[in-house]
mmCIF file of all heavy atoms in Angstrom:
data_model
loop_
_atom_site.group_PDB
_atom_site.id
_atom_site.type_symbol
_atom_site.label_atom_id
_atom_site.label_comp_id
_atom_site.label_asym_id
_atom_site.label_seq_id
_atom_site.Cartn_x
_atom_site.Cartn_y
_atom_site.Cartn_z
ATOM 1 N N ASN A 215 0.820 -1.179 0.013
ATOM 2 C CA ASN A 215 -0.017 0.010 -0.013
ATOM 3 C C ASN A 215 0.874 1.210 -0.025
ATOM 4 O O ASN A 215 0.638 2.233 -0.736
ATOM 5 C CB ASN A 215 -0.901 0.022 1.216
ATOM 6 C CG ASN A 215 -1.769 1.197 1.276
ATOM 7 O OD1 ASN A 215 -2.548 1.518 0.314
ATOM 8 N ND2 ASN A 215 -1.622 1.941 2.439
ATOM 9 N N ILE A 216 1.863 1.288 0.873
ATOM 10 C CA ILE A 216 2.665 2.437 0.987
ATOM 11 C C ILE A 216 3.596 2.663 -0.238
ATOM 12 O O ILE A 216 3.846 3.755 -0.628
ATOM 13 C CB ILE A 216 3.557 2.478 2.284
ATOM 14 C CG1 ILE A 216 3.797 3.927 2.787
ATOM 15 C CG2 ILE A 216 4.798 1.686 2.073
ATOM 16 C CD1 ILE A 216 2.667 4.650 3.136
ATOM 17 N N MET A 217 3.971 1.569 -0.876
ATOM 18 C CA MET A 217 4.747 1.644 -2.131
ATOM 19 C C MET A 217 3.926 2.227 -3.210
ATOM 20 O O MET A 217 4.422 2.907 -4.105
ATOM 21 C CB MET A 217 5.291 0.301 -2.450
ATOM 22 C CG MET A 217 6.450 -0.153 -1.486
ATOM 23 S SD MET A 217 7.855 1.100 -1.219
ATOM 24 C CE MET A 217 8.421 1.187 -2.945
ATOM 25 N N LEU A 218 2.656 1.866 -3.311
ATOM 26 C CA LEU A 218 1.803 2.324 -4.317
ATOM 27 C C LEU A 218 1.575 3.864 -4.146
ATOM 28 O O LEU A 218 1.560 4.654 -5.092
ATOM 29 C CB LEU A 218 0.436 1.727 -4.263
ATOM 30 C CG LEU A 218 0.362 0.197 -4.803
ATOM 31 C CD1 LEU A 218 -0.907 -0.445 -4.512
ATOM 32 C CD2 LEU A 218 0.690 0.152 -6.299
ATOM 33 N N VAL A 219 1.508 4.297 -2.863
ATOM 34 C CA VAL A 219 1.392 5.723 -2.583
ATOM 35 C C VAL A 219 2.686 6.433 -2.967
ATOM 36 O O VAL A 219 2.576 7.544 -3.543
ATOM 37 C CB VAL A 219 1.146 5.901 -0.980
ATOM 38 C CG1 VAL A 219 1.276 7.369 -0.640
ATOM 39 C CG2 VAL A 219 -0.223 5.420 -0.632
ATOM 40 N N SER A 220 3.819 5.784 -2.711
ATOM 41 C CA SER A 220 5.068 6.314 -3.072
ATOM 42 C C SER A 220 5.180 6.549 -4.678
ATOM 43 O O SER A 220 5.789 7.500 -5.089
ATOM 44 C CB SER A 220 6.255 5.543 -2.564
ATOM 45 O OG SER A 220 7.461 6.043 -2.914
ATOM 46 N N VAL A 221 4.591 5.562 -5.336
ATOM 47 C CA VAL A 221 4.708 5.655 -6.839
ATOM 48 C C VAL A 221 3.943 6.848 -7.298
ATOM 49 O O VAL A 221 4.290 7.585 -8.147
ATOM 50 C CB VAL A 221 4.191 4.328 -7.443
ATOM 51 C CG1 VAL A 221 3.962 4.494 -8.971
ATOM 52 C CG2 VAL A 221 5.108 3.149 -7.170
ATOM 53 N N VAL A 222 2.764 7.016 -6.694
ATOM 54 C CA VAL A 222 1.889 8.166 -7.055
ATOM 55 C C VAL A 222 2.635 9.478 -6.821
ATOM 56 O O VAL A 222 2.679 10.439 -7.587
ATOM 57 C CB VAL A 222 0.573 8.034 -6.374
ATOM 58 C CG1 VAL A 222 -0.235 9.344 -6.596
ATOM 59 C CG2 VAL A 222 -0.226 6.804 -6.851
ATOM 60 N N GLU A 223 3.257 9.488 -5.564
ATOM 61 C CA GLU A 223 3.897 10.720 -5.127
ATOM 62 C C GLU A 223 5.089 11.107 -5.978
ATOM 63 O O GLU A 223 5.455 12.323 -6.213
ATOM 64 C CB GLU A 223 4.317 10.682 -3.609
ATOM 65 C CG GLU A 223 3.181 10.680 -2.678
ATOM 66 C CD GLU A 223 3.704 10.456 -1.213
ATOM 67 O OE1 GLU A 223 4.921 10.093 -1.071
ATOM 68 O OE2 GLU A 223 2.978 10.770 -0.306
ATOM 69 N N ARG A 224 5.821 10.116 -6.589
ATOM 70 C CA ARG A 224 7.018 10.267 -7.281
ATOM 71 C C ARG A 224 6.751 10.102 -8.788
ATOM 72 O O ARG A 224 7.647 9.783 -9.525
ATOM 73 C CB ARG A 224 8.087 9.324 -6.774
ATOM 74 C CG ARG A 224 8.463 9.724 -5.380
ATOM 75 C CD ARG A 224 9.062 8.606 -4.604
ATOM 76 N NE ARG A 224 10.305 8.112 -5.145
ATOM 77 C CZ ARG A 224 10.985 7.028 -4.636
ATOM 78 N NH1 ARG A 224 10.434 6.339 -3.673
ATOM 79 N NH2 ARG A 224 12.135 6.698 -5.249
ATOM 80 N N THR A 225 5.575 10.332 -9.240
ATOM 81 C CA THR A 225 5.241 10.089 -10.633
ATOM 82 C C THR A 225 6.018 10.949 -11.595
ATOM 83 O O THR A 225 6.590 10.560 -12.590
ATOM 84 C CB THR A 225 3.691 10.285 -10.899
ATOM 85 O OG1 THR A 225 2.936 9.371 -10.179
ATOM 86 C CG2 THR A 225 3.352 10.155 -12.418
ATOM 87 N N LYS A 226 6.061 12.232 -11.156
ATOM 88 C CA LYS A 226 6.924 13.210 -12.020
ATOM 89 C C LYS A 226 8.348 12.849 -12.089
ATOM 90 O O LYS A 226 9.005 12.927 -13.148
ATOM 91 C CB LYS A 226 6.653 14.649 -11.422
ATOM 92 C CG LYS A 226 7.027 15.758 -12.437
ATOM 93 C CD LYS A 226 6.322 17.000 -12.052
ATOM 94 C CE LYS A 226 6.003 17.830 -13.232
ATOM 95 N NZ LYS A 226 5.126 18.982 -12.994
ATOM 96 N N GLU A 227 8.905 12.405 -10.922
ATOM 97 C CA GLU A 227 10.305 12.012 -10.813
ATOM 98 C C GLU A 227 10.586 10.814 -11.793
ATOM 99 O O GLU A 227 11.615 10.850 -12.518
ATOM 100 C CB GLU A 227 10.638 11.584 -9.412
ATOM 101 C CG GLU A 227 12.032 10.999 -9.316
ATOM 102 C CD GLU A 227 12.270 10.291 -7.933
ATOM 103 O OE1 GLU A 227 11.650 10.625 -6.977
ATOM 104 O OE2 GLU A 227 13.100 9.319 -7.934
ATOM 105 N N ILE A 228 9.551 9.896 -11.829
ATOM 106 C CA ILE A 228 9.664 8.709 -12.773
ATOM 107 C C ILE A 228 9.686 9.261 -14.195
ATOM 108 O O ILE A 228 10.530 8.751 -14.998
ATOM 109 C CB ILE A 228 8.502 7.751 -12.485
ATOM 110 C CG1 ILE A 228 8.662 7.146 -11.013
ATOM 111 C CG2 ILE A 228 8.564 6.646 -13.433
ATOM 112 C CD1 ILE A 228 7.395 6.472 -10.600
ATOM 113 N N GLY A 229 8.786 10.164 -14.503
ATOM 114 C CA GLY A 229 8.772 10.671 -15.812
ATOM 115 C C GLY A 229 9.982 11.322 -16.242
ATOM 116 O O GLY A 229 10.430 11.054 -17.374
ATOM 117 N N ILE A 230 10.605 12.089 -15.452
ATOM 118 C CA ILE A 230 11.931 12.835 -15.748
ATOM 119 C C ILE A 230 12.984 11.741 -16.009
ATOM 120 O O ILE A 230 13.738 11.927 -16.887
ATOM 121 C CB ILE A 230 12.293 13.738 -14.579
ATOM 122 C CG1 ILE A 230 11.263 14.888 -14.546
ATOM 123 C CG2 ILE A 230 13.724 14.251 -14.803
ATOM 124 C CD1 ILE A 230 11.556 15.835 -13.300
ATOM 125 N N ARG A 231 13.037 10.729 -15.124
ATOM 126 C CA ARG A 231 14.084 9.791 -15.256
ATOM 127 C C ARG A 231 13.965 8.951 -16.564
ATOM 128 O O ARG A 231 14.909 8.640 -17.239
ATOM 129 C CB ARG A 231 14.076 8.761 -14.029
ATOM 130 C CG ARG A 231 14.479 9.476 -12.758
ATOM 131 C CD ARG A 231 14.746 8.528 -11.627
ATOM 132 N NE ARG A 231 15.800 7.622 -11.923
ATOM 133 C CZ ARG A 231 16.112 6.461 -11.295
ATOM 134 N NH1 ARG A 231 15.377 6.108 -10.284
ATOM 135 N NH2 ARG A 231 17.206 5.741 -11.653
ATOM 136 N N LYS A 232 12.751 8.657 -16.979
ATOM 137 C CA LYS A 232 12.446 7.852 -18.075
ATOM 138 C C LYS A 232 12.748 8.738 -19.321
ATOM 139 O O LYS A 232 13.273 8.248 -20.375
ATOM 140 C CB LYS A 232 11.038 7.301 -18.166
ATOM 141 C CG LYS A 232 10.725 6.314 -17.022
ATOM 142 C CD LYS A 232 9.432 5.606 -17.268
ATOM 143 C CE LYS A 232 9.599 4.425 -18.236
ATOM 144 N NZ LYS A 232 8.422 3.603 -18.257
ATOM 145 N N ALA A 233 12.452 10.097 -19.283
ATOM 146 C CA ALA A 233 12.697 10.942 -20.300
ATOM 147 C C ALA A 233 14.227 11.079 -20.588
ATOM 148 O O ALA A 233 14.649 11.366 -21.681
ATOM 149 C CB ALA A 233 12.141 12.332 -20.046
ATOM 150 N N LEU A 234 15.030 10.936 -19.498
ATOM 151 C CA LEU A 234 16.456 10.999 -19.583
ATOM 152 C C LEU A 234 17.087 9.605 -20.053
ATOM 153 O O LEU A 234 18.351 9.486 -20.019
ATOM 154 C CB LEU A 234 17.028 11.397 -18.259
ATOM 155 C CG LEU A 234 16.701 12.917 -17.864
ATOM 156 C CD1 LEU A 234 17.282 13.134 -16.385
ATOM 157 C CD2 LEU A 234 17.387 13.812 -18.843
ATOM 158 N N GLY A 235 16.191 8.664 -20.259
ATOM 159 C CA GLY A 235 16.719 7.373 -20.828
ATOM 160 C C GLY A 235 16.689 6.207 -19.833
ATOM 161 O O GLY A 235 17.334 5.122 -20.207
ATOM 162 N N ALA A 236 16.190 6.409 -18.654
ATOM 163 C CA ALA A 236 16.070 5.243 -17.727
ATOM 164 C C ALA A 236 15.216 4.160 -18.273
ATOM 165 O O ALA A 236 14.117 4.393 -18.719
ATOM 166 C CB ALA A 236 15.632 5.770 -16.366
ATOM 167 N N LYS A 237 15.715 2.930 -18.214
ATOM 168 C CA LYS A 237 14.848 1.809 -18.636
ATOM 169 C C LYS A 237 13.874 1.343 -17.652
ATOM 170 O O LYS A 237 14.041 1.642 -16.449
ATOM 171 C CB LYS A 237 15.779 0.714 -19.029
ATOM 172 C CG LYS A 237 16.754 0.910 -20.248
ATOM 173 C CD LYS A 237 17.582 -0.200 -20.626
ATOM 174 C CE LYS A 237 18.503 0.139 -21.754
ATOM 175 N NZ LYS A 237 19.449 -1.044 -22.104
ATOM 176 N N ASN A 238 12.872 0.569 -18.054
ATOM 177 C CA ASN A 238 11.883 0.106 -17.137
ATOM 178 C C ASN A 238 12.465 -0.789 -16.050
ATOM 179 O O ASN A 238 12.065 -0.730 -14.892
ATOM 180 C CB ASN A 238 10.887 -0.823 -17.843
ATOM 181 C CG ASN A 238 9.936 0.044 -18.715
ATOM 182 O OD1 ASN A 238 9.950 1.244 -18.702
ATOM 183 N ND2 ASN A 238 9.183 -0.574 -19.649
ATOM 184 N N LYS A 239 13.563 -1.576 -16.329
ATOM 185 C CA LYS A 239 14.134 -2.459 -15.350
ATOM 186 C C LYS A 239 14.873 -1.633 -14.260
ATOM 187 O O LYS A 239 14.807 -1.923 -13.094
ATOM 188 C CB LYS A 239 15.147 -3.365 -16.074
ATOM 189 C CG LYS A 239 14.574 -4.457 -16.895
ATOM 190 C CD LYS A 239 15.575 -5.392 -17.383
ATOM 191 C CE LYS A 239 14.962 -6.568 -18.165
ATOM 192 N NZ LYS A 239 16.018 -7.624 -18.631
ATOM 193 N N VAL A 240 15.409 -0.486 -14.635
ATOM 194 C CA VAL A 240 16.045 0.391 -13.635
ATOM 195 C C VAL A 240 15.010 0.955 -12.680
ATOM 196 O O VAL A 240 15.210 1.024 -11.487
ATOM 197 C CB VAL A 240 16.762 1.514 -14.363
ATOM 198 C CG1 VAL A 240 17.372 2.539 -13.380
ATOM 199 C CG2 VAL A 240 18.010 0.917 -15.200
ATOM 200 N N ILE A 241 13.889 1.458 -13.212
ATOM 201 C CA ILE A 241 12.829 2.036 -12.432
ATOM 202 C C ILE A 241 12.298 0.890 -11.497
ATOM 203 O O ILE A 241 12.056 1.160 -10.226
ATOM 204 C CB ILE A 241 11.681 2.612 -13.270
ATOM 205 C CG1 ILE A 241 12.270 3.714 -14.240
ATOM 206 C CG2 ILE A 241 10.574 3.125 -12.328
ATOM 207 C CD1 ILE A 241 12.850 4.902 -13.489
ATOM 208 N N GLU A 242 12.052 -0.244 -12.067
ATOM 209 C CA GLU A 242 11.501 -1.342 -11.292
ATOM 210 C C GLU A 242 12.460 -1.713 -10.170
ATOM 211 O O GLU A 242 12.031 -1.940 -9.012
ATOM 212 C CB GLU A 242 11.220 -2.530 -12.168
ATOM 213 C CG GLU A 242 10.651 -3.720 -11.577
ATOM 214 C CD GLU A 242 10.270 -4.876 -12.522
ATOM 215 O OE1 GLU A 242 9.948 -4.571 -13.652
ATOM 216 O OE2 GLU A 242 10.549 -5.988 -12.104
ATOM 217 N N ALA A 243 13.733 -1.825 -10.474
ATOM 218 C CA ALA A 243 14.763 -2.139 -9.313
ATOM 219 C C ALA A 243 14.726 -1.147 -8.342
ATOM 220 O O ALA A 243 14.897 -1.470 -7.161
ATOM 221 C CB ALA A 243 16.122 -2.264 -10.062
ATOM 222 N N GLN A 244 14.616 0.166 -8.636
ATOM 223 C CA GLN A 244 14.676 1.170 -7.654
ATOM 224 C C GLN A 244 13.625 1.031 -6.606
ATOM 225 O O GLN A 244 13.834 0.992 -5.383
ATOM 226 C CB GLN A 244 14.587 2.601 -8.350
ATOM 227 C CG GLN A 244 14.603 3.738 -7.295
ATOM 228 C CD GLN A 244 14.253 5.081 -7.914
ATOM 229 O OE1 GLN A 244 14.316 5.189 -9.225
ATOM 230 N NE2 GLN A 244 13.926 6.064 -7.195
ATOM 231 N N PHE A 245 12.427 0.818 -7.044
ATOM 232 C CA PHE A 245 11.283 0.660 -6.157
ATOM 233 C C PHE A 245 11.304 -0.674 -5.396
ATOM 234 O O PHE A 245 10.824 -0.731 -4.217
ATOM 235 C CB PHE A 245 9.920 0.872 -6.866
ATOM 236 C CG PHE A 245 9.656 2.267 -7.156
ATOM 237 C CD1 PHE A 245 10.055 2.913 -8.259
ATOM 238 C CD2 PHE A 245 8.873 3.077 -6.198
ATOM 239 C CE1 PHE A 245 9.829 4.259 -8.575
ATOM 240 C CE2 PHE A 245 8.597 4.455 -6.443
ATOM 241 C CZ PHE A 245 9.025 5.025 -7.585
ATOM 242 N N LEU A 246 11.742 -1.653 -6.085
ATOM 243 C CA LEU A 246 11.833 -3.011 -5.428
ATOM 244 C C LEU A 246 12.788 -3.009 -4.371
ATOM 245 O O LEU A 246 12.636 -3.626 -3.265
ATOM 246 C CB LEU A 246 12.156 -4.063 -6.482
ATOM 247 C CG LEU A 246 11.932 -5.507 -6.100
ATOM 248 C CD1 LEU A 246 10.558 -5.781 -5.672
ATOM 249 C CD2 LEU A 246 12.425 -6.460 -7.307
ATOM 250 N N VAL A 247 14.025 -2.409 -4.467
ATOM 251 C CA VAL A 247 15.094 -2.342 -3.561
ATOM 252 C C VAL A 247 14.537 -1.579 -2.260
ATOM 253 O O VAL A 247 14.719 -1.958 -1.167
ATOM 254 C CB VAL A 247 16.262 -1.639 -4.126
ATOM 255 C CG1 VAL A 247 17.268 -1.290 -2.904
ATOM 256 C CG2 VAL A 247 17.077 -2.526 -5.058
ATOM 257 N N GLU A 248 13.695 -0.500 -2.562
ATOM 258 C CA GLU A 248 13.226 0.233 -1.501
ATOM 259 C C GLU A 248 12.163 -0.623 -0.593
ATOM 260 O O GLU A 248 12.122 -0.564 0.589
ATOM 261 C CB GLU A 248 12.412 1.508 -1.923
ATOM 262 C CG GLU A 248 11.886 2.388 -0.813
ATOM 263 C CD GLU A 248 11.278 3.650 -1.463
ATOM 264 O OE1 GLU A 248 11.550 4.013 -2.566
ATOM 265 O OE2 GLU A 248 10.416 4.286 -0.702
ATOM 266 N N SER A 249 11.376 -1.378 -1.290
ATOM 267 C CA SER A 249 10.427 -2.261 -0.588
ATOM 268 C C SER A 249 11.178 -3.328 0.222
ATOM 269 O O SER A 249 10.808 -3.556 1.370
ATOM 270 C CB SER A 249 9.527 -2.929 -1.667
ATOM 271 O OG SER A 249 8.743 -3.953 -1.049
ATOM 272 N N VAL A 250 12.153 -3.942 -0.384
ATOM 273 C CA VAL A 250 12.992 -4.957 0.357
ATOM 274 C C VAL A 250 13.731 -4.220 1.498
ATOM 275 O O VAL A 250 13.845 -4.941 2.611
ATOM 276 C CB VAL A 250 13.964 -5.653 -0.601
ATOM 277 C CG1 VAL A 250 14.963 -6.558 0.140
ATOM 278 C CG2 VAL A 250 13.281 -6.430 -1.776
ATOM 279 N N LEU A 251 14.220 -3.166 1.360
ATOM 280 C CA LEU A 251 14.940 -2.381 2.434
ATOM 281 C C LEU A 251 13.969 -2.244 3.638
ATOM 282 O O LEU A 251 14.411 -2.405 4.782
ATOM 283 C CB LEU A 251 15.474 -1.134 1.978
ATOM 284 C CG LEU A 251 16.273 -0.301 2.970
ATOM 285 C CD1 LEU A 251 17.527 -1.071 3.467
ATOM 286 C CD2 LEU A 251 16.716 1.023 2.429
ATOM 287 N N ILE A 252 12.801 -1.729 3.383
ATOM 288 C CA ILE A 252 11.827 -1.495 4.411
ATOM 289 C C ILE A 252 11.567 -2.726 5.215
ATOM 290 O O ILE A 252 11.493 -2.779 6.401
ATOM 291 C CB ILE A 252 10.495 -0.828 3.909
ATOM 292 C CG1 ILE A 252 10.778 0.535 3.412
ATOM 293 C CG2 ILE A 252 9.406 -0.928 4.941
ATOM 294 C CD1 ILE A 252 9.606 1.175 2.649
ATOM 295 N N CYS A 253 11.363 -3.874 4.445
ATOM 296 C CA CYS A 253 11.048 -5.164 5.130
ATOM 297 C C CYS A 253 12.218 -5.751 5.799
ATOM 298 O O CYS A 253 12.082 -6.335 6.926
ATOM 299 C CB CYS A 253 10.482 -6.173 4.041
ATOM 300 S SG CYS A 253 8.810 -5.808 3.442
ATOM 301 N N ALA A 254 13.415 -5.528 5.207
ATOM 302 C CA ALA A 254 14.598 -6.036 5.875
ATOM 303 C C ALA A 254 14.939 -5.343 7.213
ATOM 304 O O ALA A 254 15.197 -6.035 8.230
ATOM 305 C CB ALA A 254 15.812 -5.881 4.915
ATOM 306 N N ILE A 255 14.745 -4.056 7.207
ATOM 307 C CA ILE A 255 14.961 -3.247 8.454
ATOM 308 C C ILE A 255 13.884 -3.718 9.474
ATOM 309 O O ILE A 255 14.163 -3.919 10.614
ATOM 310 C CB ILE A 255 14.815 -1.773 8.224
ATOM 311 C CG1 ILE A 255 15.906 -1.301 7.338
ATOM 312 C CG2 ILE A 255 14.772 -0.983 9.480
ATOM 313 C CD1 ILE A 255 15.881 0.174 6.842
ATOM 314 N N GLY A 256 12.666 -3.828 9.015
ATOM 315 C CA GLY A 256 11.596 -4.351 9.959
ATOM 316 C C GLY A 256 11.858 -5.729 10.462
ATOM 317 O O GLY A 256 11.616 -5.994 11.605
ATOM 318 N N GLY A 257 12.420 -6.583 9.615
ATOM 319 C CA GLY A 257 12.786 -7.903 10.037
ATOM 320 C C GLY A 257 13.825 -7.924 11.069
ATOM 321 O O GLY A 257 13.770 -8.636 12.119
ATOM 322 N N VAL A 258 14.884 -7.110 10.878
ATOM 323 C CA VAL A 258 15.982 -7.013 11.861
ATOM 324 C C VAL A 258 15.459 -6.505 13.179
ATOM 325 O O VAL A 258 15.782 -7.029 14.281
ATOM 326 C CB VAL A 258 17.159 -6.024 11.336
ATOM 327 C CG1 VAL A 258 18.185 -5.798 12.500
ATOM 328 C CG2 VAL A 258 17.837 -6.728 10.136
#
């Protein structure tokens, strides 16, 4: 839920990065790493 909210909040940032040539895999990896980091910290 919070990651979906984050995607909405950072929509413009995503658009700028994609306009500068960022590939879909790079954008996907960025949000996936953030999600894993939140869960890993919570796990610890």
Side-chain angles (χ1 to χ4, degrees):
N215 180 57
I216 208 64
M217 290 307 299
L218 287 172
V219 171
S220 181
V221 169
V222 172
E223 289 178 345
R224 294 155 65 185
T225 299
K226 202 156 206 172
E227 175 193 331
I228 296 169
I230 293 171
R231 294 191 63 193
K232 296 192 81 172
L234 294 174
K237 296 182 179 179
N238 287 352
K239 287 185 178 180
V240 174
I241 302 296
E242 184 177 321
Q244 178 186 346
F245 282 88
L246 194 58
V247 168
E248 184 176 338
S249 172
V250 171
L251 180 63
I252 291 173
C253 290
I255 294 173
V258 171

